[in-house]
Amino acid sequence: IGFSHTTLTPEERNGVPGIRVRDQGRFAFTLLGAPQQLEVTAHAFIDADWRLQEFGATVRSPTSSFRWTGRRAGDDLHVTVATPTSSISKRLRDPSGGTFVNGLSSWAAFHRLHEGQSGKAWMINPLALNPEPIYFVVRRRERLDDQEVLVVESEMGGMTTTSWVTPEGDVLKETSP
């Protein structure tokens, strides 16, 4: 159980117009029979051509934390993952500019999902330091808590998630195995 709050703000950086995305979330769940709590914060700047320009994200739990950051340099993303005791950096090729670090919420808002739509986006896996595909399909429209939502099924790395997303890109509910 948890929440995530996403803010999208028009912004210009170094003369480049775009959108600043900020996500903040807290999650409580059971993993291998033990209660867990995570705090997740993320930010990104995406230019007017929908190319990820820079990002940063932090995941904290009571026992550990890690942070990953990145910045575009031409067709490459320079990515660093750091823990309190070490860090590793890598250059990733991203000529299409289609790699994201934030979840479905910001992607949905940018691309205006509609019923029947399907496709693929790229998410950076901070543990492998590689972009990985996330496949999605918008299954149907329905009402949730008196709001019209799109039911979106996504799959990344063998895990399927169902999300109830408003047309503006707000995720009201998510379930996964």
Side-chain angles (χ1 to χ4, degrees):
I1 297 175
F3 74 90
S4 181
H5 177 75
T6 303
T7 305
L8 306 173
T9 309
E11 187 173 292
E12 187 172 305
R13 292 194 184 173
N14 302 320
V16 176
I19 302 272
R20 177 181 52 171
V21 181
R22 292 191 182 273
D23 284 341
Q24 184 172 4
R26 290 200 171 147
F27 305 93
F29 55 95
T30 300
L31 179 65
L32 301 175
Q36 304 290 319
Q37 293 182 0
L38 289 179
E39 181 179 314
V40 180
T41 58
H43 67 87
F45 178 71
I46 300 166
D47 70 20
D49 292 324
W50 310 115
R51 289 171 54 98
L52 176 66
Q53 294 297 316
E54 66 179 60
F55 67 90
T58 303
V59 176
R60 289 187 188 100
S61 76
T63 58
S64 65
S65 68
F66 70 93
R67 175 168 175 73
W68 68 102
T69 58
R71 180 176 298 273
R72 176 170 298 286
D75 287 344
D76 295 336
L77 288 174
H78 296 261
V79 179
T80 299
V81 175
T83 68
T85 59
S86 66
S87 69
I88 186 168
S89 297
K90 187 174 182 180
R91 185 179 75 178
L92 306 173
R93 295 284 300 151
D94 184 34
S96 71
T99 301
F100 282 86
V101 291
N102 293 14
L104 179 62
S105 179
S106 56
W107 196 90
F110 291 141
H111 294 281
R112 295 174 182 80
L113 295 177
H114 59 273
E115 190 174 0
Q117 181 180 359
S118 63
K120 174 174 74 171
W122 293 91
M123 302 290 283
I124 294 177
N125 177 335
L127 301 177
L129 272 183
N130 282 316
E132 293 184 6
I134 179 169
Y135 300 94
F136 72 92
V137 61
V138 181
R139 294 287 182 201
R140 64 188 174 279
R141 287 187 174 276
E142 62 182 54
R143 295 199 66 77
L144 178 67
D145 299 330
D146 291 326
Q147 290 188 334
E148 185 168 314
V149 295
L150 296 165
V151 179
V152 180
E153 193 174 281
S154 58
E155 185 272 327
M156 181 176 176
M159 187 168 92
T160 300
T161 301
T162 303
S163 304
W164 286 258
V165 183
T166 68
E168 295 77 32
D170 295 325
V171 178
L172 301 182
K173 176 181 170 183
E174 278 190 331
T175 61
S176 58

